[in-house]
Amino acid sequence: MLKHFSPILSPDLLYALRQMGHGDEIAIVDANFPAYSQGPRVVRLDGVDATRTLDAVLSVMPLDDFTPEACWRMQVVGAPDEDMPIFSEFRSIIARREGPQFTLGSLERYAFYARTAKCFAVVATTERRLYGNIILKMGVVKAP
Amino acid sequence: MLKHFSPILSPDLLYALRQMGHGDEIAIVDANFPAYSQGPRVVRLDGVDATRTLDAVLSVMPLDDFTPEACWRMQVVGAPDEDMPIFSEFRSIIARREGPQFTLGSLERYAFYARTAKCFAVVATTERRLYGNIILKMGVVKAP
């Protein structure tokens, strides 16, 4: 184990995150999501939910402040404005880790799939809450 | 890039470190060291010296406090008690990162090679100072 790290940042997840650069995106998806059929590399986190994964990923990954939006949830099918409880949890983790300036965007279900297909990696959690999916765009780490 | 990390913790180096467990060992070796002929996986850090590498590795890796020694340098050939300037630098980095209780052990040249052959990975730096080699044994991260 490593110091100063969440233990759910597995070797494979840390490897993928460290390979990413500015503008690359990573999806964190729930237990129902068709992760393997989208195309990108899949990193598994069996037994871990999406909110805990989001918190661990944002403990090391900066969000992109070069673009108007840097994170997106999936819209509820047939009710695009409906707010599920997990969306509030996503928002509070993002605010705590990266600051209140990042708003959580949303994508219609198939647009979310299309964006996942272009992601650098997909983290397949076993989140059981529906719509427990989020895409994150990597920002930059400024020189000290 | 990731937050809170030395940028010389490359994807491959971070991957190896995160795969290691209690008692596994990693060697950081200089530009003259026969890294590839020892057997273990080699992670390259071209352009980086051994002391900077040691500092970055110990920023995330705990040393083992279950054993009398957890780090070893190579002895000067023909002068096993000679202290090279880089040994003092190794000692001060170890003390700063992991505390003064860790003493830097030493191994005769061929014993150092034999121990490297059993390491989990070898980090091949381009350290130009002779005897810029060190082996580290991973400790544990205690529950918070």
Side-chain angles (χ1 to χ4, degrees):
Chain A
M1 269 195 67
L2 299 182
K3 302 184 281 186
H4 318 308
F5 273 103
S6 164
I8 66 170
L9 293 174
S10 68
D12 288 339
L13 179 50
L14 212 44
Y15 191 53
L17 287 167
R18 184 62 182 85
Q19 288 181 319
M20 290 170 62
H22 187 195
D24 284 337
E25 297 179 3
I26 190 165
I28 297 169
V29 301
D30 65 26
N32 287 293
F33 195 93
Y36 285 88
S37 51
Q38 303 308 308
R41 162 183 7 176
V42 175
V43 177
R44 298 206 63 84
L45 278 183
D46 295 290
V48 182
D49 64 29
T51 44
R52 196 174 158 212
T53 303
L54 177 63
D55 188 54
V57 166
L58 290 183
S59 73
V60 297
M61 174 182 164
L63 286 178
D64 194 3
D65 57 6
F66 283 54
T67 48
E69 291 185 335
C71 44
W72 299 267
R73 61 166 177 86
M74 187 187 283
Q75 291 171 3
V76 176
V77 174
D81 297 328
E82 189 173 338
D83 208 52
M84 305 290 276
I86 198 169
F87 301 158
S88 305
E89 287 194 47
F90 284 162
R91 284 189 199 98
S92 67
I93 293 163
I94 291 162
R96 180 165 42 78
R97 287 291 187 186
E98 284 291 275
Q101 70 275 28
F102 291 99
T103 55
L104 181 60
S106 72
L107 295 165
E108 178 276 333
R109 178 184 168 202
Y110 288 99
F112 193 98
Y113 288 167
R115 191 154 196 143
T116 302
K118 293 182 180 166
C119 278
F120 189 87
V122 179
V123 187
T125 73
T126 48
E127 173 65 59
R128 297 298 307 275
R129 289 167 287 183
L130 299 185
Y131 299 100
N133 308 300
I134 188 166
I135 293 171
L136 308 171
K137 183 186 276 290
M138 179 173 274
V140 297
V141 176
K142 285 149 187 122
Chain B
M1 268 194 66
L2 300 182
K3 301 183 283 186
H4 317 308
F5 273 104
S6 164
I8 66 171
L9 293 173
S10 67
D12 288 339
L13 179 50
L14 212 44
Y15 190 53
L17 287 167
R18 184 61 183 86
Q19 287 181 319
M20 289 170 62
H22 187 194
D24 283 336
E25 298 180 3
I26 189 166
I28 297 169
V29 301
D30 66 25
N32 286 294
F33 195 92
Y36 285 88
S37 51
Q38 303 309 309
R41 162 183 7 177
V42 174
V43 176
R44 297 206 63 85
L45 278 183
D46 295 290
V48 182
D49 65 29
T51 44
R52 196 173 158 212
T53 302
L54 176 63
D55 188 54
V57 167
L58 290 183
S59 73
V60 298
M61 174 181 165
L63 285 178
D64 195 2
D65 57 6
F66 283 55
T67 48
E69 291 186 335
C71 44
W72 300 267
R73 59 164 177 88
M74 186 187 284
Q75 292 171 2
V76 176
V77 173
D81 297 327
E82 189 173 338
D83 207 52
M84 305 289 278
I86 197 168
F87 301 159
S88 305
E89 287 193 46
F90 285 162
R91 285 189 198 98
S92 67
I93 293 164
I94 291 161
R96 181 164 42 78
R97 289 288 187 186
E98 284 291 275
Q101 71 275 29
F102 291 98
T103 55
L104 182 60
S106 71
L107 295 166
E108 178 276 332
R109 178 183 168 202
Y110 288 98
F112 193 97
Y113 289 167
R115 192 155 196 143
T116 302
K118 293 184 180 167
C119 278
F120 189 86
V122 179
V123 187
T125 73
T126 49
E127 174 64 61
R128 297 298 306 276
R129 289 168 286 184
L130 299 185
Y131 300 99
N133 308 300
I134 188 166
I135 293 172
L136 308 170
K137 184 187 275 291
M138 180 173 273
V140 298
V141 176
K142 283 149 189 123

